[in-house]
Amino acid sequence: MKIGIFGGTFNPIHLGHTNAIGEAKKHFCLDKVIIIPAAQSPLKTDKPMKDSDRVEMIKRATKYLDFVDIDRLELDRSGVSFTYDTIVELKNKYPDDELFFIMGEDQYDSFDRWYRYDDLLDLITFIVLRRNGSTKQIEAPFIAKNTSIFEVSSSEIRKRINQNEQYSHLINDHVYAYIKEHNLYEEK
């Protein structure tokens, strides 16, 4: 089986994330995509929303994507989430499957800052989703595909919530309802 791995803090998950999942599945013929929410990204300083809220939003955003699973392994491990540790664990969990790590150009650009990045290249194939029209050269062993990327960021959504600006068009309706119901990301 071909399994895509999609990690991040998902604080909150948005249409850019779900779009990337769908594009990767389509263009690389993935059988399944596993979303792995990070406990704490090593390259980000802000602390994400509670794990339970982020997982619930991921469940709601992917409710109708029958090829998506959520794995809490980084949350259960806690502490800083290093992709290397996660991939080693997943390789043991799925020894007969082909694993692909899905990333955007921004992650590709900072890849040399990742923990044990050289070792990672020996463990898993990395898919880089480029924006349509991008001319960025993606070097082997990374594989790339130009896709219709939905431009949005979780930090932009949090900023809009704090400034009482419109953001419902950037996230799934079920995620929007959850954020409103629980007053998430509002400065107290």
Side-chain angles (χ1 to χ4, degrees):
M1 186 163 26
K2 293 174 74 172
I3 301 174
I5 309 300
F6 193 62
T9 52
F10 305 105
N11 191 32
I13 189 168
H14 51 67
L15 295 178
H17 293 129
T18 52
N19 174 258
I21 292 166
E23 291 292 304
K25 180 187 183 341
K26 173 186 167 188
H27 292 293
F28 295 95
C29 302
L30 302 175
D31 298 298
K32 174 164 69 169
V33 175
I34 300 172
I35 296 178
I36 302 179
Q40 176 64 49
S41 170
L43 299 179
K44 294 182 182 176
T45 56
D46 57 326
K47 180 75 175 123
M49 181 60 59
K50 287 189 323 188
D51 297 347
S52 58
D53 286 323
R54 291 185 296 128
V55 169
E56 183 58 32
M57 288 187 283
I58 294 167
K59 285 179 183 175
R60 289 175 182 225
T62 60
K63 183 177 182 176
Y64 300 109
L65 301 177
D66 61 354
F67 60 91
V68 171
D69 288 337
I70 302 166
D71 194 320
R72 295 180 46 96
L73 70 94
E74 289 186 357
L75 300 177
D76 294 342
R77 192 169 57 222
S78 73
V80 175
S81 300
F82 292 108
T83 302
Y84 175 82
D85 298 332
T86 300
I87 297 307
V88 167
E89 198 168 330
L90 289 171
K91 294 280 286 181
N92 289 326
K93 191 173 184 177
Y94 302 99
D96 299 324
D97 297 308
E98 193 175 359
L99 303 181
F100 298 83
F101 191 91
I102 303 163
M103 63 168 44
E105 286 182 72
D106 56 334
Q107 291 173 306
Y108 173 79
D109 289 338
S110 66
F111 188 74
D112 62 347
R113 294 176 38 213
W114 290 26
Y115 174 70
R116 296 186 70 174
Y117 68 92
D118 282 333
D119 295 326
L120 271 169
L121 294 172
D122 294 330
L123 293 176
I124 190 168
T125 301
F126 283 86
I127 292 171
V128 180
L129 299 178
R130 295 187 304 201
R131 291 163 182 80
N132 266 334
S134 172
T135 57
K136 177 180 284 296
Q137 286 288 26
I138 305 299
E139 303 292 328
F142 294 85
I143 57 175
K145 181 72 177 170
N146 282 16
T147 60
S148 300
I149 299 293
F150 187 84
E151 296 285 342
V152 62
S153 72
S154 295
S155 58
E156 173 66 21
I157 292 168
R158 293 191 307 271
K159 178 180 157 193
R160 286 176 179 238
I161 292 170
N162 281 317
Q163 295 177 350
N164 202 27
E165 294 176 0
Q166 183 64 29
Y167 67 95
S168 61
H169 61 292
L170 303 174
I171 58 177
N172 175 287
D173 291 343
H174 301 291
V175 174
Y176 178 76
Y178 188 85
I179 290 171
K180 295 300 275 184
E181 178 184 343
H182 296 278
N183 300 314
L184 301 183
Y185 305 108
E186 293 177 9
E187 289 185 359
K188 310 280 186 235

